[in-house]
Amino acid sequence: MIDFTNTADELASAGCEIAILPIGALEQHGPHLPMCTDYMVAKSVAEAVAKKLNAYLLPTLPISTSYEHKGKKGSVWMRAKTFYSVIQDIVLNLKEQGFSKVVIMLGHGGIFVSTPAIRELNADYPDLRVAKVDFLQFLGVPEMLKTLECRDNLHACEYETSLMLYLAEEMVKKDKIDGADFVPDVPRDFLNYCSIVKLSKTGVWGKPSLGTKEKGEKVFRILVDESIQYIEKIFSQTEGYFD
Ligand SMILES: [Zn+2]
């Protein structure tokens, strides 16, 4: 694996075929988790994946799209159309420099604009493959269902609290977890109509009280393993599909 702490000459001789761009978010994460939670998760999982795939790991983008956290100071985002261009500019830049495979790894589940952004790139550039891995897509895999008890994991929840207890325990305000559980009585789609801080009095969607460090270690391993399998599947099965 090569990252931005290496020299460009080291990258040139490392034989990395894949570039990985992890994307986080800067948003409120309830009373107990830091605003950099999605950044930490994206960075850590992408690092482990990059090591296994001998990839060029780009620095994690700390800000993306977080309209759904409007109303709580500290949450900062770009407009979707801006971020659409950010993703495409970075990927096309990598392509120009010889990377034909790029993986976008999303530590934040709300970056919906990444889907049309990469779909357009794959359709317009047949010699480029862009894969998108959204960690939330793995919440339904059997191993994850065995590990997590709550079925309403969305934000600052059992899933994210467990991961942060494993990755950066010192950043978790454990004394603030009590009373933070909150599952709004509406579908996730309601985040198109109002901010999460209006739907949940704690800014949480899920049950952080169920989070543990042990679950976090398992969830982390699942995310890494599932991401690698999914990336390999995309690159081995979709070549030429848009020709
Ligand atoms: Zn998050």
Side-chain angles (χ1 to χ4, degrees), residues 7 26 68 83 94 109 127 154 168 175 201:
T7 65
L26 179 53
E68 67 275 20
F83 204 60
L94 288 162
D127 52 341
L154 189 64
D175 58 324
K201 59 183 186 306

Side-chain angles (χ1 to χ4, degrees), residues 164-191:
M164 285 303 281
L165 284 169
Y166 173 59
L167 296 172
E169 192 172 12
E170 70 285 359
M171 290 188 191
V172 181
K173 313 273 183 267
K174 293 180 190 168
D175 58 324
K176 306 277 186 194
I177 293 177
D178 194 26
D181 289 7
F182 197 91
V183 179
D185 190 24
V186 292
R188 179 188 183 187
D189 203 44
F190 265 54
L191 293 174

